[in-house]
Amino acid sequence: MQTDSSFTFVLFGGTGDLSMRKILPALFEAHRAGGMLADSGKIVAVARHAADRGEYIQWVNEHVKPHVSKNGVDETAWSSFLERIEFVKIDLGNPEDFALLRDAVKDLPGIRVFYLATGPSLFVPICRALASVGLNENARIVLEKPLGYDLKSSNAINDAVGEIFAEEQIYRIDHYLGKEPVQNLLALRFGNALFEPLWRREWVESIQITIAEELGVEARGDFYDNTGALRDMVQNHLLQLLSIVAMEPPHSMDSDSVRDEKLRVLRALKPINPLDIGKVAVRGQYHSGVIRGTAVPAYATEPGVKPNSTTETFVALKVEIENWRWAGVPFFLRTGKRLADRVAEIVVNFRAVPHSALGASALRAGANRLVIRLQPNETIRLYCLAKQPGEGMNLASVHLDLAFDQFFREGQMEAYQRLLLDVINGRLALFVRRDEQEAAWRWVEPILNEWKASNKPPKPYAAGTWGPAAASAMLAQHGTCWLEEEN
């Protein structure tokens, strides 16, 4: 992915955690690879926690280096990367300071990219301040999640930003869409005749999508306690992954063709009846427990969390899509903090053969399945049955692996690296369009409202487990179980 596109990349929140862990490391990897970033491209960090460029570069050396290049830092590449970086000290609460930014970038070449690695409360003030000094022309704006607290607040942000930037200038980022296995899911489905005929209700029994974390809320207690797992993960990451899995083949891979098909999936989600929420939605909150031999505290005792908090740290949902391809196929979504393992995966369970002359093992659920692992290691694994060596026709489960780091010699591109290059080069396909976001909020809101109205506390689960038992019981009602429970 090479480019000659000159750019000025303006990073708001330039000293923040996201900038240190993800954004600047991703830009460095693109720089180090050579040819991905135009030589003339500049990075302008905006913050108020550094006095000048020298202090900011020292900050970057201390906080970014630990997150780049797993095999060590190429000091020559690192030094040349730092030469790309400029710094502007701005108080984002003072619109008059944006004249300093205008003066800093006015002579820099290429398209301007404004990356808002800040809280959503600052999105609208920053956009208005940019417009006040004429920086909304020849520009692209990147918005991090969460974009609002509900449909109303999301629309308010989108309306205000939309008055300043056209929709084709707005890049709503969801880093899961930039992961290599998600891209390969599109390649598997739409580049091979093998899977497409099977990718439908006649041959698929159920689909599971899991994003599990071992970590708790860390230093984000104040934010998380006002957000919860449904807003933080389901409304965006999980529903975006579901739409990729379930979408119809687009007529091309241009941005609107892909996003049109995802939107059709989101609009086809079966609305959840408030009376059925207890059957198809499980919310939980972690209590104290042990993870990999280390005792961890309960959510309610985490810094910044209210002691009597009813915020959910775990959600499991049964979702249905009302269209011809997927009618009747349950999609089970799950996410949580302080779970037994850090894993993100998509599991496609195919139906058993209708009749077996080879014994009952060929009829068991899950004999044929596709497991797309997004993290920690990125792989795609296809399970099928084969005869065991020896006498008799005894079947055993075997699998075919596509391990990207072993099959492809060139290094994998991290999700943020791919997405940032797409912004610089004007590719919108992997970013969320406004109507997608609205459709996701419309589907999620009744669940939020019912949980709030019922005032029932989340179900407890011990840290280091896979969540409340009710999540397993929900799948058992459909004659299936979560993937890890089969082992």
Side-chain angles (χ1 to χ4, degrees):
M1 188 185 296
Q2 295 188 339
T3 181
D4 296 322
S5 302
S6 190
F7 65 93
T8 298
F9 189 97
V10 180
L11 178 57
F12 289 93
T15 56
D17 185 61
L18 180 64
S19 296
M20 298 298 104
R21 290 188 304 108
K22 296 294 184 181
I23 300 172
L24 288 174
L27 289 171
F28 169 70
E29 293 299 341
H31 168 86
R32 183 185 61 83
M36 290 186 176
L37 296 180
D39 292 340
S40 58
K42 287 289 187 180
I43 300 167
V44 180
V46 175
R48 62 178 181 178
H49 297 301
D52 52 28
R53 182 182 183 276
E55 187 173 311
Y56 183 73
I57 293 299
Q58 182 179 347
W59 181 278
V60 169
N61 274 315
E62 292 176 4
H63 294 88
V64 177
K65 258 190 174 182
H67 300 291
V68 303
S69 297
K70 299 175 184 177
N71 298 321
V73 178
D74 179 335
E75 292 296 338
T76 301
W78 180 252
S79 295
S80 61
F81 174 69
L82 294 180
E83 292 174 3
R84 289 185 183 270
I85 299 178
E86 304 294 340
F87 176 76
V88 181
K89 182 178 174 65
I90 285 181
D91 180 356
L92 297 181
N94 183 7
E96 294 179 0
D97 278 7
F98 280 72
L100 299 173
L101 178 62
R102 177 196 59 205
D103 294 342
V105 303
K106 65 181 180 180
D107 295 326
L108 296 179
I111 189 76
R112 290 174 185 147
V113 173
F114 297 106
Y115 196 115
L116 274 56
T118 68
S121 62
L122 291 172
F123 289 174
V124 174
I126 290 173
C127 289
R128 287 175 175 162
L130 289 172
S132 72
V133 293
L135 290 178
N136 58 321
E137 302 294 332
N138 190 34
R140 296 168 187 147
I141 188 96
V142 185
L143 304 179
E144 269 284 349
K145 79 170 185 72
L147 203 67
Y149 185 77
D150 52 19
L151 179 60
K152 181 179 179 181
S153 59
S154 175
N155 280 341
I157 293 174
N158 277 316
D159 285 345
V161 174
E163 292 175 359
I164 298 163
F165 295 94
E167 179 64 26
E168 60 269 18
Q169 293 177 278
I170 303 173
Y171 291 69
R172 300 173 189 86
I173 195 167
D174 186 326
H175 71 274
Y176 274 86
L177 297 185
K179 289 183 175 291
E180 197 72 51
V182 175
Q183 302 302 296
N184 262 297
L185 174 58
L186 293 171
L188 283 173
R189 284 197 58 194
F190 306 135
N192 299 284
L194 177 63
F195 289 105
E196 180 56 27
L198 305 179
W199 212 263
R200 59 189 66 251
R201 61 184 302 276
E202 291 86 355
W203 300 108
V204 175
E205 185 174 70
S206 66
I207 293 177
Q208 301 174 18
I209 305 177
T210 294
I211 302 177
E213 300 177 272
E214 287 184 335
L215 294 176
V217 295
E218 304 305 295
R220 300 167 70 233
D222 287 331
F223 161 78
Y224 196 90
D225 207 39
N226 292 306
T227 305
L230 191 67
R231 290 185 179 93
D232 190 44
M233 298 297 290
V234 176
Q235 184 273 334
N236 38 72
H237 296 326
L238 280 166
L239 289 185
Q240 281 292 315
L241 290 177
L242 181 149
S243 67
I244 290 284
V245 171
M247 65 188 279
E248 294 295 321
H251 74 81
S252 74
M253 294 306 292
D254 71 75
S255 59
D256 280 329
S257 295
V258 172
R259 297 190 294 180
D260 285 347
E261 297 304 336
K262 288 198 295 169
L263 177 63
R264 290 188 178 97
V265 173
L266 294 170
R267 287 178 171 170
L269 294 177
K270 182 179 180 180
I272 292 182
N273 188 324
L275 298 177
D276 293 332
I277 282 181
K279 301 176 184 177
V280 299
V282 177
R283 64 195 295 251
Q285 185 186 99
Y286 65 82
H287 288 199
S288 59
V290 177
I291 296 180
R292 301 192 187 279
T294 301
V296 296
Y299 171 76
T301 66
E302 298 273 19
V305 175
K306 295 184 289 292
N308 59 346
S309 173
T310 59
T311 298
E312 78 282 353
T313 62
F314 175 95
V315 174
L317 299 169
K318 177 200 167 191
V319 181
E320 295 183 66
I321 300 173
E322 295 184 312
N323 63 21
W324 276 43
R325 182 183 288 268
W326 296 114
V329 176
F331 287 71
F332 297 106
L333 312 185
R334 175 178 59 164
T335 186
K337 291 188 174 294
R338 293 295 191 202
L339 297 183
D341 200 2
R342 173 180 174 263
V343 62
E345 64 188 8
I346 300 164
V347 180
V348 181
N349 289 311
F350 294 99
R351 296 188 185 278
V353 295
H355 169 74
S356 174
L358 302 175
S361 60
L363 296 173
R364 67 178 177 85
N368 299 147
R369 66 161 51 106
L370 187 67
V371 178
I372 301 136
R373 177 69 64 92
L374 308 178
Q375 65 183 30
N377 54 323
E378 299 183 341
T379 62
I380 295 178
R381 178 172 287 183
L382 177 64
Y383 288 83
C384 55
L385 295 176
K387 178 188 175 298
Q388 292 186 22
E391 186 179 1
M393 183 57 73
N394 298 312
L395 302 183
S397 180
V398 297
H399 56 262
L400 308 173
D401 266 342
L402 174 55
F404 301 113
D405 58 347
Q406 298 177 25
F407 193 85
F408 297 108
R409 294 189 176 183
E410 62 271 21
Q412 290 187 59
M413 188 179 292
E414 294 291 336
Y416 269 97
Q417 183 180 343
R418 171 180 288 107
L419 294 172
L420 294 181
L421 290 172
D422 277 1
V423 177
I424 290 169
N425 291 294
R427 293 186 284 260
L428 277 158
L430 300 182
F431 295 85
V432 180
R433 205 168 57 192
R434 176 175 179 169
D435 48 10
E436 292 181 74
Q437 193 173 67
E438 290 179 356
W441 272 122
R442 285 195 185 94
W443 187 82
V444 162
E445 268 204 333
I447 306 173
L448 288 168
N449 295 338
E450 180 60 23
W451 282 349
K452 182 178 180 179
S454 69
N455 204 29
K456 292 180 181 178
K459 297 181 183 299
Y461 64 95
T465 67
W466 283 103
S472 297
M474 182 173 67
L475 270 70
Q477 293 174 359
H478 296 275
T480 188
C481 63
W482 299 104
L483 181 61
E484 76 279 351
E485 293 173 339
E486 291 190 2
N487 302 321

